[in-house]
Amino acid sequence: QDNGASWHRQSFEAWPALIDVDACPNGNFVVLAYDRKIYVSKDNGATWEEKPIPTEETPQAIECAPDNRYWVVGSFTHIWMSNDEGASWNESTRDEDAIFTAGQFLDASTGYVMGEFGTALKTTDGGKNWEYMEPLPGEFYPQAMLFRDASEGWVTGLGGKVLHTKDGGQTWDEQSTNVVVPLYGITEVNNSLYAAGGEGTLLRLDGQQWVPLQHDKPLRLYIRAIAGVDKQLLVGGVNGVLHLIPLKDT
């Protein structure tokens, strides 16, 4: 409650493996569990309600869209949507043996889903229909993505690669990172972009090149989570690593 200065731990009785989290415009928080469940909080994290996702497939990521609908992506090209806070779900699949790893909605109509083998989908009608985009080059395996608008976006993933598009995903250019570790997360803070990944890697976009972010934190193992908190960068990873890093350029 204080911009990351102090933390209070909450534990769910079944000790589920929690793999993703998002905040909704209406103030709800939604957390995705690996065992096909979500947890919803309507009171700023004080209490949580468990909601099952009726599927045999494995979820990978969750997104709370600008219209407060929940979107979950996962194995075998599955997409799940709930418009009643997880009480019921609509399921769709492309019937392909590929894992969707990331999704993002820009507004109630426009959204993207990406995953294994460079698979990329886009909807312009709020998820009623999903159309294939041009595949990410080299069957790129994305781990996270960030679109600023319907034209410009970035995708991070394995091998230290970052792909950038200025035409809504029709073409992609690789931006230099000078690292080979996986990049698991990307975020924007005050118009500056940051990425995080293996071996404690933190990068900042400088022009068309990603450069190391200078800090004094003991980050040696991989970082999975990255987010902006005020004028700081919040990062989290293995062994309970959780750090706030002041940003001088914001």
Side-chain angles (χ1 to χ4, degrees):
Q1 305 292 338
D2 52 12
N3 286 331
S6 60
W7 293 86
H8 171 69
R9 179 172 180 170
Q10 295 174 305
S11 299
F12 299 143
E13 183 176 352
W15 287 88
L18 307 178
I19 58 176
D20 202 7
V21 60
D22 203 7
C24 299
N26 64 4
N28 287 2
F29 286 97
V30 58
V31 175
L32 177 65
Y34 185 76
D35 58 349
R36 308 172 184 90
K37 297 175 183 176
I38 67 167
Y39 294 84
V40 180
S41 177
K42 302 178 184 179
D43 52 12
N44 209 26
T47 61
W48 297 85
E49 186 176 0
E50 178 185 300
K51 306 277 189 176
I53 303 173
T55 182
E56 295 299 316
E57 300 299 329
T58 304
Q60 296 289 318
I62 192 166
E63 160 90 356
C64 193
D67 60 359
N68 295 301
R69 290 186 295 172
Y70 302 163
W71 292 89
V72 176
V73 299
S75 61
F76 212 76
T77 58
H78 271 68
I79 303 173
W80 300 270
M81 185 276 291
S82 177
N83 57 16
D84 54 13
E85 298 177 334
S88 63
W89 296 87
N90 294 325
E91 179 184 84
S92 64
T93 178
R94 313 298 290 195
D95 287 320
E96 296 179 13
D97 189 13
I99 301 172
F100 286 149
T101 53
Q104 181 185 352
F105 269 80
L106 299 179
D107 50 45
S109 300
T110 306
Y112 302 88
V113 168
M114 297 187 183
E116 197 176 10
F117 308 120
T119 307
L121 302 179
K122 180 179 181 179
T123 181
T124 56
D125 58 9
K128 295 178 181 178
N129 297 282
W130 292 89
E131 303 295 335
Y132 280 105
M133 300 166 58
E134 285 294 317
L136 301 176
E139 295 191 344
F140 183 62
Y141 198 160
Q143 298 295 301
M145 67 175 173
L146 188 154
F147 273 80
R148 277 179 169 164
D149 51 43
S151 297
E152 189 172 29
W154 289 261
V155 181
T156 68
L158 304 187
K161 291 185 178 180
V162 178
L163 303 181
H164 176 228
T165 181
K166 289 186 175 181
D167 54 17
Q170 297 181 53
T171 60
W172 294 87
D173 295 315
E174 183 176 340
Q175 293 181 326
S176 174
T177 65
N178 292 320
V179 300
V180 295
V181 297
L183 297 175
Y184 296 118
I186 182 171
T187 193
E188 185 172 19
V189 184
N190 291 358
N191 298 317
S192 294
L193 290 180
Y194 302 88
E199 298 181 5
T201 299
L202 280 177
L203 303 174
R204 177 179 59 84
L205 182 61
D206 184 4
Q208 293 297 308
Q209 182 171 348
W210 292 81
V211 299
L213 177 64
Q214 301 301 321
H215 59 83
D216 59 356
K217 305 299 182 182
L219 299 175
R220 298 181 179 85
L221 302 176
Y222 70 81
I223 303 170
R224 291 290 308 195
I226 181 170
V229 179
D230 195 14
K231 294 183 178 181
Q232 304 171 100
L233 201 61
L234 173 65
V235 297
V238 69
N239 288 344
V241 164
L242 195 62
H243 287 297
L244 281 168
I245 299 173
L247 297 175
K248 299 178 181 180
D249 56 346
T250 60

